[in-house]
Amino acid sequence: MRNAELFEIARRYMPGGVSSPVRAFKAVGGSPIVIERAKGSRIWDVEGNEYIDFLCSWGPLILGHAHPSVVEAVCEQATKGLSYGLTNLHEITLSQKVAQLVPSIEKVRFVSSGTEATMSAIRLARAYTKRKYIVKFDGCYHGHYDSLLVSGGSGVATFGIPGTEGVPEKMAELTIVLPYNSTQAVKEAFEKYGQDIACVIVEPVAGNMGVVIPDYEFLKALSEETRKYGALLIYDEVITGFRLSLGGAQEVFGIKPDITCLGKILGGGMPLGAYGGRQDIMSMIAPEGPVYQAGTLSGNPLSMVAGIKTLEELEKSNPYHSLENLTRKLTEGIGEILREKGIPHRINAVASMFTVFFTDGDVTDFQTAKKSDTQMFGRFFRALLDQGILIPPSQFEAWFLSTAHAQEDIDIALEKINKAVSSL
Ligand SMILES: *Cc1c(COP(=O)(O)O)cnc(C)c1O
């Protein structure tokens, strides 16, 4: 059956035909593709169309699709049981590995998604500090927990308003929303409300308003202000963990947050999230402490072995330098193509993640990200898809490279992007 026919059936039985909203391609128009299989840097839809994949399942697949040693580990584990509901050997191995690799983590709790990780980290921070307010930044996404699905008002430091129907105002009001990269706003918010702020949660490199690079001064101010006022600093490294380096953004910037949230790469394509931090903070979690948090499938052995294998491969090959080089070739190539055609753009890139914005101003926060021409992005996306290049179906997301992407993929991709852009 064809993509469009299948999607009609999907829409009958699933809201919008999808299990997660952005997959419906609403931001870019056109009918979504339905995936049949994927391998390495390539993905195929049900019509047999092949795409070079720069979506990489939104970040987890730093080794590309169906990496042989990850698949082998998962298959082998499957024959020994899918879930035990009791502590297994692989949890112990992965917890040790995470504590070794991520500078700020001494103890870690496994959950099944990034959303669960941030939600639980916030509960923990509120319990630890005995305070209720949390600070988040406009344009950062931390999953769909009520307190975090909140957007800013029009002022600089505003109490949140519900970012969706179904979030009570009373809940949203406990979240203070500030502009990303604004050291000034952070200082003002702490001056005013510091005694009641439990934590600041931040993407240390933003990926969910498109890639936005933090000012080092901004990150430093977050550490200083939280310490000064006795609040906790939560790094949401669900994207950046094991993506920027083995120790994540905190290793790259040399800053230790109090709590770190992980997901995506940690599970190597299986459902997995985690939050971790200092011993004294993590000891608040049940059964050691009074903060309840649990999960039937938490620490399940399939996710554990996929995560262990993924991290082992990364440790073995340490691909970060070559991934960054390959990414630079791609972003420079795209920049050249767009420049030649006279299309205004900005490309924000870090390590193996980047975003192409269609604007002629620098993109440093959500306000400036929103200046991008999203109509143009929609046309760009569809022209690329027609050429066999898959990128995230929204302006405000990151493209990812994997170790399965070779120089040849980049050469082919640039040729196809050139053709696509010429057709715009
Ligand atoms: C993807 C993401 C999440 C949510 O993770 P899910 O597994 O989708 O619940 C949280 N924070 C960041 C920074 C993310 O990119």
Side-chain angles (χ1 to χ4, degrees):
M1 266 206 276
R2 301 184 58 83
N3 286 312
E5 284 171 76
L6 276 167
F7 199 68
E8 271 315 302
I9 301 172
R11 288 215 305 193
R12 233 176 288 151
Y13 298 106
M14 295 185 282
V18 294
S19 301
S20 194
V22 71
R23 298 178 193 176
F25 285 21
K26 271 179 102 171
V28 289
S31 181
I33 53 174
V34 178
I35 300 304
E36 186 173 79
R37 68 193 168 93
K39 176 80 189 151
S41 63
R42 307 298 168 109
I43 192 163
W44 288 267
D45 67 19
V46 289
E47 294 176 22
N49 298 312
E50 178 179 319
Y51 306 88
I52 301 179
D53 185 7
F54 295 112
L55 175 62
C56 290
S57 191
W58 305 90
L61 304 178
I62 194 165
L63 302 178
H65 291 279
H67 187 280
S69 70
V70 178
V71 171
E72 190 191 29
V74 170
C75 289
E76 197 200 320
Q77 176 56 42
T79 65
K80 298 179 185 167
L82 302 179
S83 178
Y84 307 128
L86 290 174
T87 300
N88 65 71
L89 204 59
H90 306 301
E91 276 173 279
I92 301 172
T93 308
L94 188 57
S95 63
Q96 255 177 324
K97 203 172 253 319
V98 169
Q100 276 162 10
L101 291 175
V102 184
S104 69
I105 294 185
E106 291 174 3
K107 266 190 184 166
V108 63
R109 167 60 62 88
F110 293 117
V111 292
S112 297
S113 68
T115 297
E116 270 182 274
T118 57
M119 174 183 81
S120 310
I122 298 250
R123 181 182 305 144
L124 173 57
R126 281 178 166 152
Y128 185 86
T129 58
K130 304 201 167 21
R131 298 172 179 179
K132 60 182 179 183
Y133 288 126
I134 65 176
V135 171
K136 86 171 278 281
F137 297 93
D138 208 15
C140 283
Y141 176 70
H142 305 290
H144 58 87
Y145 174 46
D146 285 357
S147 293
L148 294 167
L149 265 191
V150 158
S151 51
S154 49
V156 169
T158 54
F159 289 103
I161 48 175
T164 168
E165 293 278 318
V167 172
E169 273 161 31
K170 283 264 184 292
M171 193 85 179
E173 281 164 10
L174 298 178
T175 304
I176 297 168
V177 185
L178 306 177
Y180 196 78
N181 264 333
S182 174
T183 304
Q184 167 104 10
V186 171
K187 288 191 170 152
E188 280 176 22
F190 270 96
E191 249 166 54
K192 261 188 166 154
Y193 310 111
Q195 305 301 330
D196 295 314
I197 294 174
C199 62
V200 172
I201 185 167
V202 66
E203 290 180 77
V205 170
N208 287 293
M209 50 182 133
V211 172
V212 172
I213 313 218
D215 288 334
Y216 182 67
E217 287 308 308
F218 169 69
L219 291 182
K220 236 177 48 189
L222 296 184
S223 291
E224 287 166 3
E225 293 298 305
T226 47
R227 195 168 312 130
K228 185 165 142 199
Y229 285 89
L232 296 186
L233 178 59
I234 303 174
Y235 269 17
D236 180 352
E237 296 227 43
V238 171
I239 287 186
T240 52
F242 316 107
R243 169 68 61 183
L244 264 56
S245 80
L246 276 166
Q250 58 194 267
E251 182 175 67
V252 171
F253 293 111
I255 294 177
K256 274 193 193 176
D258 299 297
I259 304 176
T260 299
C261 299
L262 298 167
K264 300 205 165 107
I265 291 175
L266 178 68
M270 295 290 291
L272 180 56
Y275 60 106
R278 286 201 319 266
Q279 184 91 10
D280 64 312
I281 300 171
M282 292 306 288
S283 297
M284 297 276 298
I285 302 285
E288 240 173 280
V291 181
Y292 191 73
Q293 187 275 306
T296 303
L297 295 177
S298 293
N300 92 82
L302 292 185
S303 297
M304 292 299 115
V305 296
I308 292 166
K309 270 296 160 210
T310 300
L311 298 189
E312 278 177 2
E313 287 295 326
L314 291 173
E315 282 179 293
K316 213 163 43 180
S317 62
N318 203 335
Y320 294 99
H321 192 65
S322 57
L323 270 172
E324 186 171 346
N325 280 338
L326 208 57
T327 304
R328 190 174 312 114
K329 283 181 188 160
L330 180 59
T331 53
E332 283 176 1
I334 295 171
E336 227 166 86
I337 291 166
L338 294 174
R339 212 164 20 252
E340 252 172 42
K341 303 285 185 296
I343 298 171
H345 64 279
R346 279 288 189 285
I347 302 178
N348 283 356
V350 175
S352 51
M353 57 192 274
F354 69 93
T355 299
V356 181
F357 294 98
F358 294 101
T359 169
D360 48 18
D362 289 341
V363 176
T364 57
D365 59 13
F366 197 34
Q367 284 307 316
T368 45
K370 283 193 289 195
K371 295 213 167 103
S372 186
D373 181 347
T374 53
Q375 296 291 323
M376 178 68 192
F377 179 83
R379 290 199 298 277
F380 181 69
F381 172 89
R382 288 191 304 275
L384 260 56
L385 198 68
D386 282 345
Q387 288 291 332
I389 305 286
L390 179 63
I391 66 169
S394 159
Q395 171 67 81
F396 305 106
E397 301 288 350
W399 308 32
F400 296 103
L401 264 73
S402 77
T403 55
H405 289 81
Q407 177 64 48
E408 197 197 359
D409 292 300
I410 303 305
D411 295 340
I412 299 171
L414 284 173
E415 218 172 277
K416 290 176 176 225
I417 292 169
N418 194 22
K419 264 194 214 151
V421 169
S422 300
S423 75
L424 287 177

